[in-house]
Amino acid sequence: MFVFVAEAIGLTTRSSAQQFTEKIMKGYKITDNERSKKYGIGSNSLQMLKNKAKLKFPPQTLFVVAGPETIITTDGEFQFEQLKQRSPLLRVADIVHDFMEQHPDKFLKMVSDYEKLKKPKLDHSKAHLSLKSEHSEWFLGLEERCHTKEEALSRRAQDRVRGYYYKTKDELTRNVIYRQNLKARRLIDAILEKFRYLLIGCDYFSMIFDRECNRKHEFLQQQLGDETDARSVVPSKKLKQIIKNYTLKNQILDEWTVSLCSNLGDFYCQGPFSDSTNNCSLNHTINPYASRENLILFQVWNLDHQIELSRTILPALLENVRELITTPKRLCDMHKRQLVDVSVLEYFLEIFSLKNLKLVHIVCHEKVQRTNKSNGRLLCEQCHEYQIVQELMDVQVDKEAVNF
């Protein structure tokens, strides 16, 4: 038996089948039900497709056609799910997540009790050390390429920001308007590409967990007073440096490319969403640079979107895309020119930057629906924000070299 999965080709009616036979040769992927083998074949009709498939797999077949709104499980997702079933280790995150969802109060109490129990025993005498050779136990289980604590924490920050990018991309590309409207698809693809360029420009906000970043968040300055020091991380690839130079030159991200920790590595909870003063009444603080145990505990500290990503920001972005597509002649309120794009930079800052993210201990991460709204809007070619982003996209670099 084999399973065939393809994008919508409309084979459910006689007329659509006739249309299919008139099409030119197209490429398709076929695979068995275990997805152990996959072949690419060319066909211009359903019958030709079935005949060629039978040459690759046994004659009994299951033919699956994906509709325009169907979400197809990719090979990577399928294989990962299979691996999770065989490996208990990979199911740990799911188990913990399920427990958090079902027993949030118990989970928070467990974390709080553990921290109270361990706090007096934690050793901060090695917090100032940086090199792997100086504090080797701190690096257990980390990537081999990380040779300093600052590198490791910078990568942790980048991983979180990349996670927001993948979540954004997934939700936008799964939406019906992306799948059914070519203009909307092209616009959303362009928005995602601009997000990638901006992320490269700020090195995926690697500095927010890097104690050696010499620019500190205003919140931290209020906690500690003025602190200065150190070096900033410069991307090694020429492409990244060119884009970063542009963002620095135009100062479009300066305010938010800052560190959240002191020079020693102390982080302070910015308090729950309901407290707009950035105060944590429980005085949560942690230094993941001090010990491996602290580094592990730091994983329960969250970057909390004040304007919610899935409930508010992305729906607002999609609504603006829909409006741009359905009312193409609408004019900008400020310049009286035709609207041409969404405010990519504003959405970028709301999704990825400290403009909308607060670092909070899990106890202070309030899981409540919020009423604040996204500031994203539609722009014309005269809007300054539009011009800045377009200039960034016109930077003379090899776009094929833009990799994650």
Side-chain angles (χ1 to χ4, degrees):
M1 178 182 291
F2 82 95
V3 178
F4 170 79
V5 182
E7 290 188 2
I9 52 178
L11 301 179
T12 55
T13 66
R14 185 174 182 180
S15 60
S16 59
Q18 290 173 345
Q19 291 173 5
F20 180 72
T21 59
E22 295 171 359
K23 290 184 177 180
I24 60 174
M25 293 285 286
K26 286 190 175 183
Y28 299 93
K29 295 289 186 181
I30 59 172
T31 181
D32 60 359
N33 63 336
E34 298 294 332
R35 298 201 185 191
S36 60
K37 294 181 181 179
K38 183 163 63 175
Y39 299 97
I41 59 177
S43 172
N44 67 357
S45 71
L46 174 57
Q47 190 58 49
M48 181 186 294
L49 187 61
K50 290 166 67 177
N51 291 340
K52 287 189 175 183
K54 288 177 182 178
L55 298 176
K56 300 292 184 181
F57 296 104
Q60 287 187 328
T61 63
L62 171 66
F63 189 77
V64 180
V65 178
E69 298 179 32
T70 303
I71 305 301
I72 301 173
T73 301
T74 65
D75 286 349
E77 292 169 335
F78 179 81
Q79 290 167 7
F80 183 69
E81 287 300 318
Q82 293 289 99
L83 188 59
K84 278 170 61 176
Q85 298 302 317
R86 298 194 298 268
S87 173
L89 181 62
L90 291 176
R91 297 183 61 241
V92 170
D94 290 338
I95 294 170
V96 173
H97 181 268
D98 290 343
F99 183 79
M100 288 172 60
E101 290 290 319
Q102 296 169 16
H103 310 285
D105 295 335
K106 287 184 180 180
F107 179 77
L108 296 179
K109 187 177 185 302
M110 287 170 59
V111 172
S112 181
D113 290 346
Y114 178 79
E115 289 184 329
K116 289 177 182 177
L117 177 67
K118 300 299 290 184
K119 193 170 184 179
K121 301 179 182 180
L122 292 177
D123 180 10
H124 286 66
S125 62
K126 295 184 178 181
H128 66 287
L129 301 178
S130 176
L131 298 177
K132 190 173 186 178
S133 58
E134 299 172 326
H135 196 177
S136 58
E137 65 269 23
W138 189 93
F139 291 85
L140 290 175
L142 300 183
E143 294 180 71
E144 288 293 326
R145 56 181 174 173
C146 292
H147 301 291
T148 68
K149 293 179 181 179
E150 292 74 23
E151 270 187 276
L153 266 298
S154 293
R155 291 187 186 280
R156 290 287 178 96
Q158 290 176 322
D159 288 345
R160 295 200 191 196
V161 171
R162 280 191 174 93
Y164 299 143
Y165 176 82
Y166 293 130
K167 181 178 179 64
T168 297
K169 181 178 180 180
D170 182 64
E171 293 199 20
L172 293 180
T173 56
R174 283 173 179 256
N175 191 271
V176 173
I177 191 173
Y178 180 87
R179 293 175 169 271
Q180 293 186 343
N181 189 298
L182 182 58
K183 289 183 179 179
R185 175 178 291 204
R186 287 173 176 169
L187 180 57
I188 290 172
D189 285 342
I191 291 169
L192 291 170
E193 181 73 358
K194 291 168 187 175
F195 283 169
R196 292 204 320 140
Y197 263 58
L198 288 164
L199 286 169
I200 289 171
C202 65
D203 200 31
Y204 293 86
F205 290 105
S206 62
M207 71 293 299
I208 62 176
F209 292 166
D210 183 1
R211 64 182 177 183
E212 291 193 339
C213 175
N214 59 353
R215 289 201 304 272
K216 304 296 181 182
H217 194 282
E218 183 181 1
F219 159 77
L220 188 67
Q221 294 171 1
Q222 293 170 356
Q223 290 283 325
L224 303 176
D226 262 333
E227 277 194 345
T228 57
D229 202 272
R231 61 185 174 85
S232 58
V233 179
V234 178
S236 58
K237 291 184 179 179
K238 184 178 180 180
L239 166 65
K240 291 185 177 181
Q241 192 57 53
I242 291 172
I243 298 174
K244 188 172 183 180
N245 287 343
Y246 178 85
T247 59
L248 289 173
K249 174 186 174 183
N250 289 275
Q251 301 180 330
I252 54 179
L253 299 173
D254 278 10
E255 187 176 357
W256 311 112
T257 50
V258 294
S259 173
L260 284 170
C261 65
S262 70
N263 288 342
L264 186 61
D266 296 312
F267 289 85
Y268 300 87
C269 176
Q270 293 179 270
F273 169 76
S274 57
D275 188 342
S276 59
T277 61
N278 282 342
N279 287 325
C280 173
S281 60
L282 299 175
N283 296 318
H284 291 126
T285 182
I286 192 171
N287 189 327
Y289 289 87
S291 65
R292 182 169 180 270
E293 190 170 22
N294 270 15
L295 180 63
I296 294 171
L297 284 173
F298 190 56
Q299 295 180 64
V300 302
W301 284 60
N302 298 319
L303 288 169
D304 180 19
H305 282 91
Q306 302 304 282
I307 305 172
E308 294 181 285
L309 179 60
S310 295
R311 288 178 176 172
T312 306
I313 301 172
L314 298 183
L317 194 160
L318 285 167
E319 182 55 36
N320 271 331
V321 168
R322 187 176 290 106
E323 189 170 346
L324 197 61
I325 298 301
T326 56
T327 56
K329 295 184 179 181
R330 183 182 161 189
L331 302 181
C332 172
D333 293 335
M334 183 180 297
H335 302 106
K336 306 304 178 185
R337 300 286 295 272
Q338 184 174 328
L339 295 168
V340 294
D341 202 356
V342 302
S343 50
V344 171
L345 185 55
E346 183 61 41
Y347 282 119
F348 173 85
L349 293 174
E350 289 182 352
I351 296 170
F352 302 106
S353 84
L354 297 177
K355 179 179 182 180
N356 188 43
L357 293 169
K358 283 172 63 172
L359 181 68
V360 295
H361 186 281
I362 191 170
V363 172
C364 291
H365 193 184
E366 294 179 333
K367 298 287 188 177
V368 295
Q369 189 164 359
R370 303 166 189 183
T371 58
N372 50 356
K373 297 181 179 179
S374 169
N375 296 305
R377 59 193 181 92
L378 294 173
L379 306 175
C380 74
E381 293 179 350
Q382 293 298 311
C383 292
H384 179 65
E385 181 184 334
Y386 174 83
Q387 294 173 352
I388 286 290
V389 175
Q390 285 304 115
E391 287 177 13
L392 171 63
M393 299 306 294
D394 291 338
V395 170
Q396 295 300 308
V397 292
D398 178 9
K399 291 193 176 183
E400 292 182 358
V402 181
N403 296 315
F404 274 95

